[in-house]
């Protein structure tokens, strides 16, 4: 989706810490970039793994301007990786996605609309 540009203040930031998930990362990233809500950013945190996960993620980032990659200086685990991404996030709301999991393609839109329509947390 090269034509899509990252918005300065997207509706949702999807945060994905990545550590040795080469087998799953493509399905995870496909589910993030193909969300029906397009006004998103995807923040991938490189947590210093030893497989090809980040090579795959970097290929996705070349083709989608909404993807931002940040790199930890050493392995910090998922909790700290998520916190590091929160500091880099511009979204109105955050979605945390594990790199060995995936989202329903309507997940961000449903959650965003529920929050906006309901005026509160879901």
């Amino acid at each position: 989706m090269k034509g899509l540009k990252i918005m300065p203040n997207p509706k949702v930031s999807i945060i994905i810490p990545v550590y040795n998930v080469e087998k799953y990362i493509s399905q995870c990233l496909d589910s993030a970039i193909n969300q029906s809500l397009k006004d998103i950013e995807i923040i991938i945190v490189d947590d210093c793994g030893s497989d090809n996960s980040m090579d795959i993620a970097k290929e996705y980032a070349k083709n989608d301007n909404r993807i931002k990659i940040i790199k930890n200086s050493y392995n910090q685990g998922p909790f700290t990786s998520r916190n590091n991404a929160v500091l880099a996030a511009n979204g109105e709301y955050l979605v945390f996605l594990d790199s060995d999991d995936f989202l329903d393609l309507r997940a961000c839109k449903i959650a965003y609309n529920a929050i906006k329509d309901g005026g509160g947390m879901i």
Side-chain angles (χ1 to χ4, degrees), residues 8-72:
N9 294 310
K11 292 178 179 172
V12 174
S13 296
I14 301 174
I15 294 174
I16 308 170
V18 173
Y19 180 81
N20 291 347
V21 288
E22 179 178 3
K23 183 176 176 182
Y24 308 103
I25 190 70
S26 290
Q27 184 179 16
C28 173
L29 293 176
D30 285 340
S31 77
I33 65 173
N34 291 311
Q35 286 294 300
S36 57
L37 179 67
K38 299 300 182 195
D39 189 5
I40 62 172
E41 70 176 349
I42 301 163
I43 302 173
I44 298 170
V45 184
D46 179 354
D47 199 22
C48 305
S50 58
D51 69 359
N52 291 319
S53 298
M54 287 310 302
D55 293 332
I56 295 167
K58 288 174 184 173
E59 284 300 313
Y60 275 82
K62 285 181 188 176
N63 296 312
D64 193 321
N65 296 337
R66 300 172 298 166
I67 297 175
K68 181 168 31 175
I69 295 177
I70 60 176
K71 182 173 176 48
N72 292 339

Side-chain angles (χ1 to χ4, degrees), residues 59-119:
E59 284 300 313
Y60 275 82
K62 285 181 188 176
N63 296 312
D64 193 321
N65 296 337
R66 300 172 298 166
I67 297 175
K68 181 168 31 175
I69 295 177
I70 60 176
K71 182 173 176 48
N72 292 339
S73 53
Y74 59 92
N75 178 260
Q76 297 180 14
F79 180 79
T80 301
S81 294
R82 286 185 189 100
N83 285 340
N84 293 341
V86 167
L87 296 174
N90 295 306
E92 190 177 344
Y93 296 99
L94 305 173
V95 169
F96 296 105
L97 176 58
D98 290 336
S99 51
D100 63 350
D101 208 349
F102 60 93
L103 292 170
D104 180 282
L105 297 182
R106 300 164 298 153
C108 289
K109 185 176 223 169
I110 290 168
Y112 184 81
N113 289 338
I115 291 169
K116 286 302 189 185
D117 294 343

